[in-house]
Amino acid sequence: MDAHVRTRVSAYAIASQDDRLLLARLSDASPVFAPGLWHLPGGGIDPGEQPAEALARELREETGLEVADARLADARTYAARRNGVSWSLTALFYVVRLKDGAPAVAETDGSTDAVAWVPLAELRDDAVLSPAAADALRILERTGAAALTLPR
């Protein structure tokens, strides 16, 4: 394995509601994927942090929303290169149910510059999605959105 490859493990939320998916647009501060892409809310797991805790923290920072329930749905790996750094990313995908609230970016100078509920019908162009967000769509299509909806 290349000694110059950085490893990152991240937890991401698949939150769907009324045929919409909650997405965060990546800013210039994004370490792994290119800015401007729509990405799943979530991010890196800090040393000693549990994945579900990281998911809740990242969701608060990137969307201002709180997790009511989360279930691990899938995991994928990615190889990426950004700003001269090669990344090996392991992504843990959680289906989440959120507490009530309107999404808004809560952290300043973070990796997210916008957050929105985006209609699934508008997300067929992979060019606007990060690889993880594109995989989340495939997970939704494979299992059916209803199967990924957590009960209230």
Side-chain angles (χ1 to χ4, degrees), residues 92-106:
L92 306 176
F93 292 90
Y94 285 84
V95 174
V96 300
R97 183 170 47 84
L98 301 171
K99 294 181 182 177
D100 289 338
V105 177

Side-chain angles (χ1 to χ4, degrees), residues 64-107:
L65 298 172
E66 299 283 333
V67 174
D69 197 9
R71 178 177 47 105
L72 184 63
D74 206 342
R76 304 283 170 99
T77 59
Y78 304 92
R81 186 160 178 82
R82 174 146 163 74
N83 294 330
V85 177
S86 293
W87 290 95
S88 173
L89 172 69
T90 298
L92 306 176
F93 292 90
Y94 285 84
V95 174
V96 300
R97 183 170 47 84
L98 301 171
K99 294 181 182 177
D100 289 338
V105 177
E107 80 179 325

Side-chain angles (χ1 to χ4, degrees), residues 32-136:
V32 179
F33 298 120
L37 294 176
W38 286 99
H39 188 51
L40 296 172
I45 300 170
D46 292 337
E49 187 177 35
Q50 295 302 315
E53 292 169 352
L55 178 71
R57 175 182 52 76
E58 289 284 347
L59 265 169
R60 272 191 311 277
E61 292 172 0
E62 295 179 359
T63 71
L65 298 172
E66 299 283 333
V67 174
D69 197 9
R71 178 177 47 105
L72 184 63
D74 206 342
R76 304 283 170 99
T77 59
Y78 304 92
R81 186 160 178 82
R82 174 146 163 74
N83 294 330
V85 177
S86 293
W87 290 95
S88 173
L89 172 69
T90 298
L92 306 176
F93 292 90
Y94 285 84
V95 174
V96 300
R97 183 170 47 84
L98 301 171
K99 294 181 182 177
D100 289 338
V105 177
E107 80 179 325
T108 307
D109 299 325
S111 62
T112 298
D113 64 13
V115 62
W117 286 102
V118 181
L120 292 171
E122 294 178 13
L123 296 176
R124 299 300 169 218
D125 180 7
D126 281 356
V128 300
L129 299 174
S130 71
D135 277 343

